[in-house]
Structure formats: structure tokens, C-alpha cells
Amino acid sequence: MRQQQRSQPGSAPLDWAAARRTTYEAGLLAKLLPVRYPIGQADGATLAEALRTLTPLPAFPTSSVDGYAVRGEGPWRLSGRVLAGGEPGELRDGTAVEIATGAMVPERTERLIRVENATVADGHVSVENIPGPRVDVREIGEEAGSGEELLPEGHPVTPGVIGLAASCGHDLISVRPKPRAALLIFGDELAVTGPPGHGRVRDALGPSLPSMLAHAGAEPVPGFRPRGPIDDTLEAHVSALRAALDDADVVCTTGGTMHGPVDHLHPALAELGASYVVNTVAVRPGFPMLVAALPGDRFVVGLPGNPQSAIVAVVSLVLPLLAGLSGRDFPATSTVELGADIAGRGDYTHLSLVKINGRKAYPLPHAGSAMLRGLAAADGFAIIPPGEHGSAGQQVGFVRIPS
Ligand SMILES: Nc1nc2c(c(=O)[nH]1)N[C@H]1C(S)=C(S)[C@@H](COP(=O)(O)OP(=O)(O)OC[C@H]3O[C@@H](n4cnc5c(N)ncnc54)[C@H](O)[C@@H]3O)O[C@H]1N2
Ligand code: MOO
């Protein structure tokens, strides 16, 4: 495991922006090894080397219309036909060949006559208004020269990138795969079915976080199911973490981030030889969140048990960690205009649930850290920096909830 800057156990909460950056850099130092994927399976992965075209684009001069390729003075004697996929011979002076959209333009072609402008009679093609030279020809290399870089290393692979890779001749591409993620639910007081009551709350994170992690760019480990609730013993926590770390690059845990009598996360991490990348963050809600690095370039992200705090930890720490492990750029925040005032949280960054309406962000009610009502209606969090408060009309940072 490589060395990196880390906050120590018991140290003061790290500034929110610094925690995101530190987590990203830890991920980048441990970025996943490149693999070669068939292009059709690479969606969501990240380019591990620049995407270059294997040929000029287009690879040959191409007609962008249905019509006639002609050379010399008209009318032109119709001497054949070239369809898409065919390889035509050279065009002779005074002749025309019928040509289809996408077909290779014969050598020595001077002009293309669109079919709707052409008149064909007695085996000859004529046109009233002669078009300019090679209008409607897509020239060889017009989009890119052979070997030209089209996208840099670190670029996310999207369906558009896959199409581009195919168009320039690739069958396999070198990518960093999506980091594999697993989820452990701590808190054996949680009910996993039926209504809450009699002191038991319903586990809201086990059913929701797997798809949020997938939307965030992680790959569920094969056979992935959130494991838990894990028994409230140190032994059960250690063995659950060990098993999850066998399969996953990133193990997210929920609950147990504090130091209560049945909060076993910190002791379990110590037993596994983990070192903290980030241990508590100066953000509200969610400050007990943590990231720990384990031998073998594996990571544990401790999400606080209060459900909204867990989601704050996803956007604060999981997103930068996944970006780093994938070799992507740092996930910068965007900005929004506030539609109403939002209070600050003193020395802490305040992540405030907001709904985007038109071009403005409005804070939501029911935004307590134990509540999910505001969260379910929200698009993301407005970011109110330490020592500030947000006023209507002000531009502030914004981070979207993966969905
Ligand atoms: N003495 C102090 N106590 C607490 C402090 C503090 O500063 N001093 N901080 C509070 C804050 S802030 C948070 S956040 C929580 C974090 O606690 P843990 O991560 O140890 O989480 P738990 O104690 O296990 O649970 C907290 C809360 O969330 C509910 N929970 C847990 N898991 C789930 C789940 N999967 N689905 C739904 N709800 C869940 C759990 O029932 C508790 O109500 O600590 C505070 N305490
Ligand atoms: O800050 Mo805790 O993380 O309120 O819920």
C-alpha cells in the first residue's frame, strides 16, 4: 500500500473540500489496473489510455448524398453504379456513376449531383445548376487523421464513446473497470421487513444504497447483496468486513461510525490493520463519516447510520474515491442559484437538501438527518461553506445525488 496524507484517529474533523480532495488522491494512488474489454461491454468504465483512431476518419472519401459522381463537362454518360460497401474504379472524363449515400467516391470525381437535381435521359445525366467542386463529399480524414487522439486517458466510457471507438476500428479497448463495491449494514436492531415500531426502525439503506452506488459508477460485486444487519459484536464486524474486502475494491458500511457501546467499526478497522484516509469531516449532517485504506489497495467508507448522513457521505467521499480509483478527473461540484435563504452551520460546511426548480435551488422541509422525506424529493445538496450562510439569489456550490 502506498503512502498518502491521512487524518489520524481522534484528530479534528477535516474540512469538507479537503476531505473530498484527500479521498480522491488516495483513490488515484490506488487506481485500478487496466484491462482490455470488448467495446460493447465497456460502458461505465474509464479509458486507461487515450482513444486514437486506427484509420483516418472517414477512412475513404464518402458521398453524403444519393446522386451521381461526375467528371468533366456535362451531360455525362452514365457508366455504372457504386453502392455503400463497394470499391469503385476511377471515373473517366465525361462520365457519371450513380452513387448511394455512404458509398466510396470514385477517384478523380469532380462533383456530386444530388438525385433530386439531376435529369437522366438517353443514358446521360444533366443538371441545371452545376454544384461546386466536391460539395457533398466527406473527404478522407475530415474528422480525424490516422492515429489522432480523440479522447484522453481518464475519460468516462459512455455509449457515445463506444460508438466512436467502433467507428474508428477498435474491437477491444484498454479501460479501468468500474470499482467493485459491496455494502455492509451494521445495527442488529434494524428491521428488514414490515413496519417500524416497538423500538425498531426499518433498514432504509440496505434496499437503497446498492442502486445509488451503481448510479455513482460502482460495479456491484458478483452476487452482490447488502449483507446485514451484522450482529453487534466486534467479531461479527471483523469477519463481515474481511469477507466483503475479499471481493470488493470499496466496502461501504452503514452505522456504527461513532464510539457508542455497540459501535464496532473503528475497533474492527484497527483489527484489520486499516489506516484512516479521512476520519470525521467538518460537514453537517454526516460528520462521523470516514474512509480507511486496507492492505491490497482496498477501502472502507464508513457511512453514518442516520440515513441522510449516509447519503451525504456518498456524495462527499464515495464519489471522489470512485473517481480516483477509476483514474478519472476530480469530481468538481457545480453551482446553483439559491431560491431562498439557507442557514449556515458555524465552522462546518452545511450540505442542504435542495430541489432544482427552473434555474433555482430551493431548500426542502423534512431535512433532518434521520429523515428521508426531504431526501426523496431532493435533486442534491447546496453547499454552504463554513462561517457563511446562503441568501436567496446567491450562487453556491451544488452536488447532485446519484440517481
Ligand atoms: N454522543 C453523541 N452521539 C451522537 C453524536 C455525537 O456527536 N455525540 N453524533 C450523532 C450523529 S451526527 C450521527 S450521524 C450518528 C452516527 O452514528 P452511527 O454512524 O454510529 O450510527 P448508529 O448509531 O448505528 O445509527 C444512528 C441512527 O441511524 C439509524 N440507522 C442506522 N442504520 C440505519 C439504516 N440502515 N436504516 C435506517 N436507519 C438507520 C439508527 O437507528 C440510529 O437512529 O450518531 C449520533 N450520535
Ligand atoms: O451529522 Mo449526523 O451525521 O447529524 O446525522
Side-chain angles (χ1 to χ4, degrees):
M1 199 179 18
R2 284 154 272 191
Q3 278 303 306
Q4 54 224 359
Q5 187 207 334
R6 297 200 169 131
S7 52
Q8 294 309 306
S11 61
L14 198 56
D15 168 72
W16 183 76
R20 293 185 80 235
R21 181 62 74 172
T22 302
T23 301
Y24 171 72
E25 278 161 12
L28 206 53
L29 279 174
K31 68 184 171 193
L32 304 181
L33 294 176
V35 288
R36 287 179 70 72
Y37 269 11
I39 51 172
Q41 290 168 27
D43 188 28
T46 305
L47 293 180
E49 53 190 47
L51 181 70
R52 293 176 184 280
T53 175
L54 300 176
T55 67
L57 284 181
F60 48 85
T62 313
S63 175
S64 64
V65 294
D66 294 320
Y68 300 90
V70 301
R71 175 172 180 85
E73 297 295 308
W76 301 273
R77 189 175 55 79
L78 191 52
S79 66
R81 165 189 270 187
V82 47
L83 299 178
E87 206 166 349
E90 202 176 273
L91 202 57
R92 300 234 181 98
D93 267 356
T95 67
V97 294
E98 194 180 2
I99 192 163
T101 301
M104 182 170 177
V105 174
E107 266 184 54
R108 307 186 73 223
T109 295
E110 286 180 350
R111 293 166 214 281
L112 293 181
I113 313 291
R114 292 180 174 221
V115 69
E116 59 272 33
N117 300 334
T119 307
V120 183
D122 296 333
H124 282 74
V125 178
S126 56
V127 69
E128 216 159 274
N129 297 314
I130 302 232
R134 296 181 76 85
V135 171
D136 292 327
V137 176
R138 293 191 194 115
E139 299 291 0
I140 185 166
E142 191 178 283
E143 186 180 348
S146 184
E148 189 175 331
E149 177 176 322
L150 305 179
L151 293 168
E153 176 187 348
H155 196 285
V157 179
T158 60
V161 171
I162 291 170
L164 178 65
S167 75
C168 61
H170 293 281
D171 301 312
L172 300 170
I173 48 174
S174 175
V175 295
R176 292 184 206 287
K178 296 186 202 176
R180 296 163 305 163
L183 177 63
L184 295 178
I185 303 294
F186 293 157
D188 67 357
E189 80 285 6
L190 296 166
V192 290
T193 57
H198 309 288
R200 289 162 77 90
V201 295
R202 182 68 193 270
D203 168 24
L205 296 171
S208 61
L209 278 179
S211 52
M212 186 172 289
L213 295 173
H215 285 297
E219 176 77 29
V221 296
F224 176 88
R225 267 180 306 123
R227 277 171 243 167
I230 307 296
D231 289 349
D232 268 339
T233 66
L234 177 58
E235 201 183 20
H237 280 60
V238 170
S239 72
L241 278 167
R242 218 174 241 136
L245 285 161
D246 276 347
D247 293 335
D249 303 300
V250 177
V251 176
C252 292
T253 64
T254 66
T257 57
M258 293 295 292
H259 300 275
V262 289
D263 291 335
H264 299 298
L265 178 59
H266 289 272
L269 289 172
E271 192 152 327
L272 290 166
S275 55
Y276 292 103
V277 176
V278 167
N279 182 13
T280 71
V281 178
V283 64
R284 294 282 182 184
F287 87 94
M289 65 179 73
L290 64 89
V291 182
L294 285 107
D297 284 339
R298 305 286 165 105
F299 292 88
V300 172
V301 183
L303 315 176
N306 279 323
Q308 193 199 145
S309 306
I311 309 311
V312 168
V314 169
V315 302
S316 302
L317 302 178
V318 176
L319 290 181
L321 181 62
L322 294 176
L325 287 171
S326 308
R328 294 190 181 186
D329 288 347
F330 180 68
T333 55
S334 56
T335 55
V336 283
E337 182 182 330
L338 292 182
D341 293 352
I342 295 179
R345 290 288 179 91
D347 293 341
Y348 284 57
T349 297
H350 181 196
L351 288 201
S352 171
L353 286 172
V354 289
K355 171 105 195 127
I356 308 289
N357 206 335
R359 300 178 57 182
K360 294 189 182 173
Y362 294 88
L364 288 158
H366 313 292
S369 66
M371 298 178 185
L372 284 158
R373 192 170 163 185
L375 185 102
D379 294 305
F381 296 94
I383 303 160
I384 312 299
E388 295 184 22
H389 72 274
S391 311
Q394 190 187 343
Q395 295 282 333
V396 297
F398 174 72
V399 59
R400 187 167 288 283
I401 297 169
S403 66

